[in-house]
Amino acid sequence: MDRIRIRGGRPLGGQVTVSGSKNGALPILAASLLVDGPILLRNMPQLTDIKNLLRILGQLGVVHNWRPDGSLEIEAKDKTLYTAPYDLVRTMRASFVVLGPLWARRGVARVSYPGGCVFGHRPVDLHLKGLGGIGAKIDVADGYVTLSSRPKGGVVFLGGNMGSSVLGTANVVMAATLATGTTYLESAAMEPEIEDLCNFLNACGARIRGIGSHLLEIEGVDSLRGCEWSMIPDRIEAGTFLCGAVMMNSDVTVQKCNPMHLLAVIDRMQAAGADIEIGPDFVRNKPTESGSLKAVDITTMAYPGFPTDLQAQFMALMARANGVSVITEKIYPERFIHASELTRLGARIRREGPSAIVEGTDQLRGAPVMASDLRASASLVIAGLGAQGATDVRRVYHIDRGYERIEQKLHAIGADIERISEG
Ligand code: EPU
């Protein structure tokens, strides 16, 4: 198993380029189940999660081919298969997003029911409510969800106790594109990844209106055809690099990102005293004279609020700020496993229900730490940059699920970071 070793305290500088969005790419890959004919996807990130979903799609008759320029050709060839087995689905929760498109195009879908997750209970009731609301007959038995009958359309309210559901919205929107009638989806997720999925589906011939809003109107069509599409930049990767730049008070430009997708994060960084310049497709952190950060509070929320997927990285930043920061999780109230690993580096963090209280210190010191999930590992890397001495992050396979060559990208902007392979 590989480790990432960071020797902290080194200033960063230069330009780092963001890859295509993982969470944008996953539903678009699943949409290949809906589409007749080949699709060409550009700016596709080479990540474990992407490869895992491609394996699952392979079991469902979808073939793919990576081109030398990094783009991906993908096409559903065998449209008779309809089971996504436990052994594959359990490797990645997000694969539940094949359910809606599989059902809509093939008339039946059987997908393993997702299990637990390190950051708490993650139900799929909204997915099933939405799909049932547009005509699915749903059976849950033997650890599998089976959908049958044809999508008709209907009026669906998708809000839950924690707001809307990103992948739940993706599942319903995809299935609704091939419904016999029209679907009105209220309280749809408004994340940029959903907006991009809808735009992609329209480029394939779908009829979706209200894109980017909480009310989507989807008029069913008979079939979808392939198209060429380019993935949007990964806003979470961009935000992670910005956290590193702000942590080290360094002149770093995060290139090929969409700053409009990062405004909640930039807002909190500016409130903490960072000097941030926003360009058309870049965000630059400029060093400040004092070099010190003020503690600020954050509350994670659905888009356009502060993203839960950057909470852990921002916590690492606050661990070195002046003062006390309250970090509240409104999406996953249990998503705090990183907090105890950060305390191994000297961070002062305590839990109060769905909040973490972070008392900043300039005394972070390197230590061996264990990655527990994707964003938690990224936060340990950011903390390692700001800690004195060496930090070894173990179980880095978590980080490879969502960051393309993170150690190479950070090394290129001056970090003392290396991957150590242990066979
Ligand atoms: N929820 C329900 N019922 C459902 C579905 C969700 O109550 O049927 C709740 C969840 O428990 C949570 C909230 O609704 O409290 C939001 O969850 P959501 O369904 O939106 O999450 P998701 O679609 O499963 C995606 C991302 C996550 C990201 C969340 C929130 C992908 C592949 N995953 O998950 O990304 O944290 O939205 O923004 O898009 C990551 O990349 O590290 C990651 C975990």
Side-chain angles (χ1 to χ4, degrees):
M1 246 188 269
D2 293 359
R3 283 183 285 151
I4 286 182
R5 175 167 296 166
I6 307 128
R7 289 184 189 81
R10 285 263 293 256
L12 307 179
Q15 300 175 342
V16 58
T17 301
V18 171
S19 300
S21 162
K22 166 180 86 78
N23 290 349
L26 292 172
I28 288 182
L29 289 176
S32 64
L33 292 163
L34 285 172
V35 171
D36 294 322
I39 304 167
L40 181 64
L41 301 173
R42 302 188 194 282
N43 199 27
M44 182 55 80
Q46 302 257 1
L47 300 168
T48 323
D49 268 12
I50 299 293
K51 291 174 189 156
N52 280 338
L53 186 57
L54 286 171
R55 270 201 315 155
I56 293 167
L57 290 170
Q59 296 275 312
L60 294 167
V62 176
V63 296
H64 71 270
N65 170 43
W66 288 99
R67 287 189 176 180
D69 66 356
S71 57
L72 181 76
E73 293 167 325
I74 180 163
E75 181 174 1
K77 290 276 198 197
D78 181 345
K79 299 189 177 99
T80 60
L81 303 161
Y82 63 86
T83 299
Y86 174 71
D87 275 349
L88 290 178
V89 173
R90 73 185 169 84
T91 61
M92 190 178 59
R93 274 191 74 83
S95 51
F96 199 64
V97 77
V98 301
L99 183 67
L102 192 58
W103 166 59
R105 181 64 184 78
R106 301 187 183 177
V108 54
R110 189 165 172 268
V111 176
S112 173
Y113 203 101
C117 164
V118 291
F119 44 92
H121 180 50
R122 289 178 74 183
V124 290
D125 56 315
L126 293 174
H127 298 240
L128 300 184
K129 177 185 171 192
L131 292 166
I134 62 167
K137 180 174 170 302
I138 302 174
D139 282 311
V140 180
D142 310 323
Y144 281 81
V145 180
T146 304
L147 302 192
S148 55
S149 171
R150 302 292 314 185
K152 294 195 296 279
V155 179
V156 174
F157 178 77
L158 211 63
N161 291 342
M162 312 305 269
S164 193
S165 163
V166 176
L167 292 180
T169 301
N171 252 331
V172 179
V173 168
M174 285 193 275
T177 58
L178 294 184
T180 47
T182 298
T183 300
Y184 297 89
L185 185 59
E186 177 54 291
S187 202
M190 289 164 45
E191 269 64 10
E193 295 77 17
I194 293 295
E195 187 177 344
D196 195 51
L197 171 69
C198 292
N199 286 326
F200 163 79
L201 291 167
N202 276 358
C204 295
R207 294 201 189 125
I208 307 173
R209 285 182 285 275
I211 296 177
S213 80
H214 55 80
L215 176 60
L216 297 173
E217 182 185 336
I218 307 136
E219 192 186 328
V221 297
D222 291 338
S223 63
L224 299 179
R225 55 179 184 277
C227 73
E228 284 189 31
W229 199 252
S230 188
M231 295 305 116
I232 56 171
D234 196 308
R235 63 193 169 104
I236 306 302
E237 188 197 13
T240 302
F241 291 137
L242 273 180
C243 284
V246 173
M247 173 72 109
M248 302 317 292
N249 189 34
S250 294
D251 194 343
V252 170
T253 302
V254 180
Q255 283 184 310
K256 291 202 182 160
C257 63
N258 184 340
M260 297 305 288
H261 294 168
L262 286 160
L263 294 184
V265 180
I266 292 170
D267 174 73
R268 293 292 76 198
M269 289 175 167
Q270 287 171 330
D275 183 1
I276 293 190
E277 179 190 341
I278 300 178
D281 64 351
F282 70 85
V283 181
R284 176 179 172 203
N285 180 64
K286 297 192 265 186
T288 59
E289 231 165 77
S290 79
S292 67
L293 278 181
K294 288 196 292 280
V296 292
D297 297 343
I298 61 163
T299 299
T300 64
M301 279 185 262
Y303 189 81
F306 194 99
T308 173
D309 292 341
L310 282 169
Q311 179 257 107
Q313 300 88 318
F314 204 86
M315 186 183 289
L317 209 52
M318 291 297 99
R320 276 208 47 196
N322 288 320
V324 175
S325 158
V326 181
I327 295 182
T328 304
E329 247 301 337
K330 287 268 172 98
I331 307 291
Y332 297 114
E334 296 301 323
R335 194 179 195 178
F336 285 119
I337 294 189
H338 47 279
S340 20
E341 291 300 303
L342 287 171
T343 57
R344 291 182 51 74
L345 303 177
R348 299 180 194 153
I349 305 171
R350 66 172 203 279
R351 280 284 303 280
E352 295 267 357
S355 298
I357 318 292
V358 186
E359 196 187 324
T361 169
D362 54 9
Q363 298 291 314
L364 294 188
R365 296 197 186 284
V369 283
M370 192 91 88
S372 54
D373 79 59
L374 167 57
R375 308 305 174 185
S377 355
S379 99
L380 295 171
V381 170
I382 301 298
L385 294 175
Q388 294 302 322
T391 297
D392 268 16
V393 183
R394 290 159 198 240
R395 297 199 182 160
V396 296
Y397 55 85
H398 286 296
I399 218 165
D400 296 331
R401 289 187 38 216
Y403 292 87
E404 220 177 23
R405 300 173 280 106
I406 193 169
E407 74 284 4
Q408 288 177 28
K409 288 191 182 188
L410 286 172
H411 186 262
I413 54 170
D416 184 343
I417 182 169
E418 60 181 323
R419 180 182 290 253
I420 301 169
S421 290
E422 291 182 333

